[in-house]
Amino acid sequence: MKVTRTAIPDVMLIEPRVFGDARGFFYESFNERAFAEATGVQTTFVQDNHSKSVQGVLRGLHYQIQQPQGKLVRVVVGEVFDVAVDLRRSSPTFGKWVSAVLSAENKAQFWVPPGFGHGFVVTSPTAEFLYKTTEYYAPQHEQSIAWNDPFLAITWPDLGAPPQVSAKDAAGAHWANAQFFD
């Protein structure tokens, strides 16, 4: 696999080695030993999640203030614009964000470590999004920061209409009122 560190070095873009021919393709989507060797991250994944969304759906920016989750995310149908926001006060990149385009075509994965907010918007007609987490989902600790917070100034792709967000995400905290990690 090829690992590229982003402008926030703890967040990494992972590109698997794909073997393809006229019959189709094969790639190893996860291998614990190869992941640890390539990224330097030693972790255990405890939960796999799969969501499907239509174009323009924006999910995020989510995190768990307790039981923080690291997420290894990828797309198996369609395409998304994926974002990670550093919420660690002690980090030199606190309040900064990075993004990647993940698609079924490019087969890339994004490693979003614990201590980050995460979100994505669907840029294709539909998308199926898979992610592994390092902690179990704990709704009592779930937090959300407004996807359009002016402090973050995330440059979301222009899809010609406002994104579709859940009521919970529409009520996301503004940066000034959000809870952060130490």
Side-chain angles (χ1 to χ4, degrees):
M1 71 179 68
K2 177 183 172 189
V3 174
T4 305
R5 293 190 182 270
T6 66
I8 302 176
D10 292 339
V11 180
M12 294 172 250
L13 185 67
I14 300 166
E15 299 169 88
R17 189 167 174 206
V18 180
F19 302 92
D21 59 27
R23 300 169 298 150
F25 67 85
F26 168 85
Y27 70 97
E28 198 169 64
S29 61
F30 181 74
N31 176 301
E32 183 177 21
R33 182 176 48 234
F35 178 80
E37 288 173 2
T39 65
V41 174
Q42 297 282 337
T43 193
T44 300
F45 292 103
V46 299
Q47 185 173 322
D48 280 2
N49 300 312
H50 186 149
S51 72
K52 181 178 181 179
S53 303
V54 297
Q55 187 170 37
V57 167
L58 191 149
R59 298 183 186 272
L61 300 162
H62 302 151
Y63 61 104
Q64 290 182 181
I65 197 65
Q66 292 180 37
Q67 294 176 237
Q69 295 176 309
K71 297 177 180 176
L72 182 60
V73 303
R74 65 190 178 111
V75 171
V76 295
V77 173
E79 180 182 276
V80 307
F81 178 82
D82 200 80
V83 174
V85 179
D86 194 345
L87 303 179
R88 305 167 300 171
R89 281 193 182 104
S90 61
S91 170
T93 55
F94 174 65
K96 305 294 184 199
W97 61 272
V98 291
S99 64
V101 172
L102 306 178
S103 69
E105 185 176 322
N106 70 21
K107 298 171 185 53
Q109 299 179 26
F110 213 29
W111 166 242
V112 181
F116 282 74
H118 174 257
F120 66 89
V121 66
V122 177
T123 56
S124 56
T126 63
E128 292 193 34
F129 190 85
L130 277 64
Y131 56 108
K132 302 175 112 26
T133 64
T134 60
E135 270 292 344
Y136 295 103
Y137 175 60
Q140 70 274 24
H141 302 306
E142 187 174 35
Q143 303 285 313
S144 181
I145 293 177
W147 64 273
N148 58 352
D149 187 273
F151 173 82
L152 294 174
I154 296 171
T155 309
W156 296 98
D158 181 5
L159 300 176
Q164 300 173 49
V165 296
S166 69
K168 176 179 71 175
D169 290 348
H174 289 283
W175 184 261
N177 302 321
Q179 290 185 308
F180 302 113
F181 300 94
D182 290 330

